[in-house]
Amino acid sequence: MTTPTPRPERAAHRRISTALFLAGFATFSLIYCTQPLLPEFSTEFGIDPATSSLALSLTTGCLAFSILAAGALSEAVGRRGLMFVSMVGAALLNLVSAASPSWELLLIARACEGLVLGGVPAVAMAYLAEEMPPERLGRAMGLYVGGTAFGGMIGRVAIGALTEATSWRIALGSMAAVDLVVAFGFLALAPASRNFVRRPGLNPRLHLTAWATHLRHRELPFLFLTGFLSMGAFVTIYNYAGYRLLEAPYSLSQAQIGLIFLTYIFGILASSSAGALADRLGRPPVVLTGVAVMLAGMLATLSSALWLIIGGIAVITVGFFMVHSVASGWVGRLASTNRSHAASLYLLAYYVGSSVMGSLGGWAWHEGEWPAVITFCGVLALGVGAIALRLRRVGRA
């Protein structure tokens, strides 16, 4: 018979889950708030679209590599404080971006924002794995991933609407103000670490050894590859769906295409549900279900009917967030030590997958347009399914 969790502990668990939802929201709203502003930057600074895209790609590129350093730093300075400082620092840098008189200064601020934000995603997974009991970890991780989905959606959709009503500078500044409030909400809710053991000093050999140990682990590298492949497929769908929908017979406007990001709502719901299901049923079955859902959505987008295309993208979003929420929580379960190092490797693979596979998806679009894109993404999704089958023996670990 299972011993009931004491009420104070249940309350602490709810606070942790809510705090990490806020952390996910702040991080991803700050990362992606410039995506709908790229045409505005072209007009304001007289630059071409490729140059304008640096406002986002520099942030995500710097984030990918700062995650490794942030995970190592958290072993010395602690989890909760580093996440708070990262959110506050990034929000302030977003204010600098909003007030930047030149394109060069804006890019410097955005690059620094990516470097600073690495302190949240790498550390959040380790913090949850340390502070949440195993039977509640999946649900908590799902809520955190849901927060990232919600932040990513708001960072794209709301900023575009606010820019149309005011200006891009006010929109960026408003997002910075909101995320400053969110950061202090996180600080108020997140309890101090109880199971974290500080390691004073920054010993490079210690961190290299920790990363090498995780890479030699029997299962963890497969989870890193899961993040790489699943994010690669997901970002490719969103990267090139716009190209298809801008063309005849759809001829949608950029504003209309931007509303597709509202499908992230389904990702928020799927993340929490998938985490709870993984706690009860095991992780491989839920990952396999997510892969099947992604493939079904991809097939739906091959239709010429607009409602089926958009519906298919929504289904793909559900499937991806099922996979990602379970895989990211799984990393924390399998990494018995140096969890922040394991989390940083997972997220490095996740963001590199976004960059590399997203670019290769452009080659697929050039060669065969949407059917080739779906074939490319389908192969990536099948790779994730194969990994889940390989890991089925440790699904409840």
Side-chain angles (χ1 to χ4, degrees), residues 7 9-19 132 136 143:
R7 183 174 296 178
E9 287 193 26
R10 292 202 305 270
H13 296 160
R14 286 195 295 270
R15 289 177 59 196
I16 291 172
S17 297
T18 304
M132 296 295 287
R136 296 182 67 90
L143 193 59

Side-chain angles (χ1 to χ4, degrees), residues 42 72 75 92-93 109 128 131 159 187 201 217 307 347 351 360:
S42 293
E75 297 289 342
L92 293 175
L93 284 164
L128 282 175
E131 304 304 321
I159 284 288
L187 185 65
H217 192 278
W307 71 272
L347 291 168
Y351 287 111
L360 288 177

Side-chain angles (χ1 to χ4, degrees), residues 139-165:
R139 186 184 299 272
M141 185 61 71
L143 193 59
Y144 165 69
V145 173
T148 69
F150 187 56
M153 180 186 73
I154 294 299
R156 292 172 170 105
V157 177
I159 284 288
L162 189 56
T163 297
E164 187 172 339

Side-chain angles (χ1 to χ4, degrees), residues 28-109:
F28 278 70
S29 61
L30 288 168
I31 291 171
Y32 290 108
C33 63
T34 57
Q35 192 169 47
L37 301 179
L38 302 185
E40 297 288 332
F41 295 153
S42 293
T43 301
E44 175 88 9
F45 298 107
I47 53 178
D48 59 44
T51 304
S52 181
S53 69
L54 291 173
L56 178 59
S57 61
L58 274 178
T59 306
T60 55
C62 290
L63 175 67
F65 290 98
S66 73
I67 282 171
L68 289 179
L73 182 63
S74 75
E75 297 289 342
V77 303
R79 318 286 198 210
R80 174 175 171 264
L82 180 60
M83 285 190 282
F84 172 69
V85 169
S86 295
M87 284 185 277
V88 170
L92 293 175
L93 284 164
N94 221 50
L95 282 175
V96 174
S97 299
S100 294
S102 69
W103 176 241
E104 291 75 18
L105 181 57
L106 189 149
L107 288 184
I108 291 171

Side-chain angles (χ1 to χ4, degrees), residues 43-380:
T43 301
E44 175 88 9
F45 298 107
I47 53 178
D48 59 44
T51 304
S52 181
S53 69
L54 291 173
L56 178 59
S57 61
L58 274 178
T59 306
T60 55
C62 290
L63 175 67
F65 290 98
S66 73
I67 282 171
L68 289 179
L73 182 63
S74 75
E75 297 289 342
V77 303
R79 318 286 198 210
R80 174 175 171 264
L82 180 60
M83 285 190 282
F84 172 69
V85 169
S86 295
M87 284 185 277
V88 170
L92 293 175
L93 284 164
N94 221 50
L95 282 175
V96 174
S97 299
S100 294
S102 69
W103 176 241
E104 291 75 18
L105 181 57
L106 189 149
L107 288 184
I108 291 171
R110 289 292 296 172
C112 292
E113 198 167 329
L115 291 173
V116 169
L117 275 173
V120 178
V123 177
M125 292 164 64
Y127 177 81
L128 282 175
E130 290 166 350
E131 304 304 321
M132 296 295 287
E135 68 274 9
R136 296 182 67 90
L137 178 60
R139 186 184 299 272
M141 185 61 71
L143 193 59
Y144 165 69
V145 173
T148 69
F150 187 56
M153 180 186 73
I154 294 299
R156 292 172 170 105
V157 177
I159 284 288
L162 189 56
T163 297
E164 187 172 339
T166 56
S167 72
W168 69 265
R169 293 183 184 276
I170 292 176
L172 280 185
S174 298
M175 181 58 68
V178 167
D179 284 322
L180 277 173
V181 174
V182 168
F184 282 95
F186 164 85
L187 185 65
L189 286 170
S193 297
R194 294 182 299 174
N195 302 313
F196 168 71
V197 179
R198 189 184 305 272
R199 295 177 177 176
L202 294 174
N203 185 338
R205 179 176 296 180
L206 182 151
H207 301 302
L208 290 172
T209 300
W211 287 319
T213 299
H214 292 316
L215 290 173
R216 290 194 300 266
H217 192 278
R218 190 178 64 174
E219 286 92 19
L220 279 173
F222 288 101
L223 290 178
F224 303 153
L225 185 57
T226 294
F228 179 91
L229 295 175
S230 60
M231 182 56 170
F234 181 65
V235 78
T236 297
I237 293 293
Y238 274 95
N239 278 355
Y240 303 102
Y243 286 90
R244 183 186 184 191
L245 296 176
L246 281 169
E247 296 177 348
Y250 312 108
S251 302
L252 299 186
S253 68
Q254 287 286 0
Q256 289 170 323
I257 291 172
L259 292 176
I260 293 174
F261 287 108
L262 290 173
T263 57
Y264 267 55
I265 292 172
F266 300 105
I268 297 168
L269 300 175
S271 295
S272 181
S273 299
L277 282 173
D279 288 336
R280 291 190 356 241
L281 305 177
R283 286 156 179 79
V286 181
V287 172
L288 286 169
T289 301
V291 169
V293 170
M294 288 183 72
L295 290 170
M298 291 177 194
L299 290 174
T301 66
L302 291 171
S303 170
S304 59
L306 180 60
W307 71 272
L308 269 177
I309 295 171
I310 296 175
I313 292 173
V315 171
I316 292 167
T317 303
V318 168
F320 165 73
F321 278 102
M322 288 178 69
V323 171
H324 173 47
S325 64
V326 173
S328 55
W330 204 348
V331 168
R333 291 294 302 276
L334 289 179
S336 57
T337 60
N338 298 311
R339 287 189 173 100
S340 66
H341 292 80
S344 65
L345 287 172
Y346 174 82
L347 291 168
L348 176 65
Y350 178 85
Y351 287 111
V352 171
S354 171
S355 176
V356 173
M357 294 295 114
S359 297
L360 288 177
W363 170 83
W365 170 261
H366 177 75
E367 293 298 317
E369 297 196 338
W370 194 249
V373 169
I374 291 302
T375 300
F376 175 77
C377 293
V379 170
L380 298 182

